[in-house]
Amino acid sequence: MGAGWWGPAGGAGPAGAAFGTWGAGLGLDAALGRGAAGVAGVAKSAGPRDLDRADSLTMSKALQTGPLCTRDALARALRTLGVRPGETLLVHSSLSSLGWVCGGGPDVVRALLDVLGTDGTLVVPTHTSDNSDPTHWSNPPVPETWWAQIRAAMPAYDPRTTPTFGVGVVPELVRNWPGAVRSSHPQTSFAAVGPRAAAIVEGHALDCRLGERSPLARLEEAGARVLLLGAGYMSCTAFHLAEYRIPAPQVDNAFAVMTPAGRRWMTVREVSITEDRFDELGAAFEQAHPVVRGMVGAAHARLFPLADAVAYAATWLTKHRPRTDAT
């Protein structure tokens, strides 16, 4: 999962991986490095941008492994799992876990929309953890002499054009999908397509990454379900909503944002969040609540009500992972 990405040391962290993905245990506020690799639909690091010709030729000769997944086959598997027309679905995904997808990521999105139908709403995390204070980057860190210049030059978040960072192929496709809308938080935005999309992403407060004034709370109100599609519970952003409902420390969180007066580097004070032990939390949740499990292509999939996950997490985290540094 990488290392946590959400803000300064001094809280066990918010949601992500060291400036690149949701971290595995270090927490969102613990280290904001440039990690990449897999949470909540977080894609694995691609490595060098360009391969040399010899490597490219070698890769091109390798026999593709399966299973072969078509749009129709994916849609059938999602229906078999229990995804319903007309529902609101928060999806955390790993494209590579599915197998060989004919049509690639776009046909995964099409399959999800096929099953949800015109009355359903698809929601994905479109996070941008690279828009953060370089003081806390750790995966890798950057020289201290760069920090001031990075803060001054970091582009302001624009929900229309800012690409996702570290959340994989499917969220990047969904944010660019015809009719998609995206929330306004510079680090933890969500994008949605469907009739309830605007209501879900509206009003995402700058000082509330994943809490009551974020799309997660709107999803809870809408009776949404969560689909973990080749992603594990370390990716489950719904658990973070529970952290806003139990004692937790406060941390400073900084980013570049556009205001009526122009671009601004802004620091806000808010709840510290961390995905530490979310894997254990998820395992316990499955023991206590019905979670639908199945296969979609080669991917292990889990489907469950978001509200159930949040309520269980609030109790479990209070008992098993209290924040002794809470103020």
Side-chain angles (χ1 to χ4, degrees):
M1 276 295 179
W5 64 259
W6 282 119
F19 154 156
T21 66
W22 302 82
L26 291 186
L28 304 181
D29 298 309
L32 291 156
R34 289 180 177 265
V39 193
V42 173
K44 294 181 179 178
S45 175
R49 187 175 297 272
D50 297 303
L51 298 172
D52 63 36
R53 179 169 175 78
D55 286 344
S56 297
L57 290 172
T58 299
M59 291 181 67
S60 69
K61 294 178 180 178
L63 181 66
Q64 295 292 335
T65 58
L68 166 63
C69 300
T70 65
R71 172 178 173 177
D72 288 345
L74 291 169
R76 285 195 300 272
L78 289 166
R79 292 188 181 100
T80 299
L81 186 70
V83 177
R84 301 187 293 255
E87 73 172 311
T88 299
L89 191 68
L90 172 60
V91 178
H92 296 293
S93 61
S94 167
L95 176 62
S96 63
S97 72
L98 291 167
W100 195 88
V101 180
C102 183
D107 264 15
V108 176
V109 178
R110 293 185 186 104
L112 287 162
L113 294 174
D114 288 346
V115 177
L116 292 172
T118 57
D119 294 330
T121 300
L122 173 64
V123 185
V124 296
T126 50
H127 301 160
T128 46
S129 58
D130 51 335
N131 185 352
S132 55
D133 195 330
T135 304
H136 310 292
W137 294 352
S138 64
N139 194 18
V142 295
E144 184 174 353
T145 54
W146 295 7
W147 293 353
Q149 186 173 350
I150 289 171
R151 293 189 192 103
M154 179 70 69
Y157 170 74
D158 184 335
R160 299 165 300 177
T161 62
T162 300
T164 59
F165 188 93
V167 291
V169 173
V170 170
E172 178 65 12
L173 289 166
V174 171
R175 81 162 184 91
N176 284 295
W177 209 258
V181 291
R182 189 180 186 187
S183 70
S184 58
H185 197 282
Q187 293 174 340
T188 56
S189 65
F190 291 77
V193 177
R196 290 176 286 280
I200 287 166
V201 305
E202 183 180 12
H204 196 168
L206 294 178
D207 61 350
C208 189
R209 287 167 288 189
L210 298 168
E212 306 298 343
R213 292 171 294 150
S214 80
L216 288 175
R218 306 293 78 76
L219 286 164
E220 182 184 42
E221 293 166 358
R225 292 197 292 173
V226 177
L227 172 63
L228 300 180
L229 185 58
Y233 283 107
M234 293 294 286
S235 308
C236 185
T237 49
F239 288 159
H240 288 292
L241 179 56
E243 294 186 285
Y244 287 77
R245 298 176 179 176
I246 60 178
Q250 297 281 311
V251 293
D252 289 332
N253 187 36
F255 39 72
V257 65
M258 189 61 68
T259 72
R263 178 204 175 276
R264 178 183 170 191
W265 182 258
M266 180 180 292
T267 300
V268 298
R269 191 78 174 162
E270 76 134 298
V271 171
S272 167
I273 51 180
T274 173
E275 72 286 2
D276 183 35
R277 298 184 67 185
F278 275 11
D279 51 349
E280 298 175 52
L281 167 56
F285 173 64
E286 284 196 5
Q287 293 296 315
H289 286 267
V291 173
V292 179
R293 300 181 62 177
M295 300 297 294
V296 177
H300 293 273
R302 291 174 169 87
L303 182 66
F304 50 89
L306 183 145
D308 287 357
V310 175
Y312 186 83
T315 300
W316 191 94
L317 291 169
T318 299
K319 180 179 181 180
H320 297 284
R321 203 204 66 186
R323 299 294 296 276
T324 57
D325 49 353
T327 55

